[in-house]
Amino acid sequence: MGGTVVAVGSNAEYSFSEPNREGVTLLAGLGVEGDVHAGVTVKHRSRVAKDPTVPNLRQVHLIHRELLAELGESGFDVAPGALGENITTEGLDLLGLPVGAVLRIGPEAEVEITGLRNPCAQIDDYRTGLLKQVVGRAEDGTIVRRAGIMGVVRAGGPVRPGDAIVVELPGGPHRPLEKV
C-alpha cells in the first residue's frame, strides 16, 4: 500500500492555512521544522490553554487530495495547504489507516499516525459551509471526521512533492482512528 506526496507546507505563525513549500524537513519527536505546531508538547492554541504539558500528538497534519477534489465537486475550491495540512497525499486511504500505522515518506522520514484531526469552526471562516462537508454523522449517529489525520515524527528527513509514501501497518488488531 502506498501513495505520493502532492504538496507540503509549513507556517512559522499561527494561521489557518499552511503556505506550500518546495520541501519541508521533518524533525524526529518534534514535527515540521519551522512550523508553529512543532514541539514535544501541544502547540495548538486551544490545547495549550487547557494543559500546555500534554504530549503533542498533532505534530504533522495530512490530508488526501481526493478529499480536496470531492470538496471541489461540491462547490468548494480548496487548494493543498488551505486547510492547514503539512502534507497533502494522493493514492492513500488516510482515514482508513489504523492508529500506529507508519508512513515512510521519501528517503528518510517516518510519521506514526496518532488519530483524526478534529476540525473546528475556523473551517467555516475559511469557506462558509465547509465544516459540514468535513464533519458529519454516520447512520448510527456517530460523528464522522474527514479533515485529515495527525501524526508524530518517528524519523526525521526531507519531504518534497513527488516523494513516495509507503505504509507500514502495526501488528495486532486494527484500531480505528479517533480524534486527537
Side-chain angles (χ1 to χ4, degrees):
M1 177 178 359
T4 306
V5 174
V6 173
V8 295
S10 66
N11 199 336
E13 299 177 11
Y14 282 106
S15 173
F16 182 71
S17 297
E18 297 279 344
N20 287 319
R21 309 281 182 204
E22 289 183 16
V24 295
T25 300
L26 301 187
L27 303 173
L30 295 173
V32 180
E33 181 177 42
D35 192 83
V36 71
H37 297 110
V40 174
T41 57
V42 292
K43 300 300 176 197
H44 288 77
R45 289 178 181 172
S46 62
R47 292 164 192 266
V48 169
K50 288 180 185 175
D51 183 353
T53 66
V54 173
N56 187 3
L57 300 178
R58 299 166 53 105
Q59 294 174 358
V60 181
H61 177 201
L62 302 98
I63 284 184
H64 49 296
R65 176 162 55 186
E66 293 83 353
L67 173 64
L68 303 181
E70 183 183 323
L71 294 173
E73 291 170 7
S74 297
F76 295 91
D77 181 23
V78 181
L83 297 181
E85 72 273 16
N86 302 109
I87 301 174
T88 307
T89 69
E90 184 172 63
L92 285 177
D93 177 13
L94 293 179
L95 302 177
L97 293 172
V99 172
V102 174
L103 303 181
R104 296 181 189 280
I105 308 171
E108 302 170 35
E110 295 181 7
V111 175
E112 182 176 340
I113 305 309
T114 55
L116 296 169
R117 175 189 185 193
N118 189 31
C120 65
Q122 287 182 350
I123 289 179
D124 272 348
D125 294 339
Y126 173 73
R127 296 277 192 280
T128 302
L130 190 55
L131 184 59
K132 287 183 181 179
Q133 298 293 314
V134 296
V135 177
R137 292 209 179 263
E139 288 183 17
D140 66 1
T142 58
I143 296 174
V144 176
R145 294 171 178 86
R146 303 181 329 127
I149 63 173
M150 308 303 285
V152 296
V153 181
R154 283 191 6 175
V159 177
R160 300 189 179 288
D163 281 350
I165 304 170
V166 177
V167 178
E168 179 183 302
L169 297 174
H174 180 95
R175 292 180 24 219
L177 300 176
E178 297 179 5
K179 72 175 182 170
V180 292

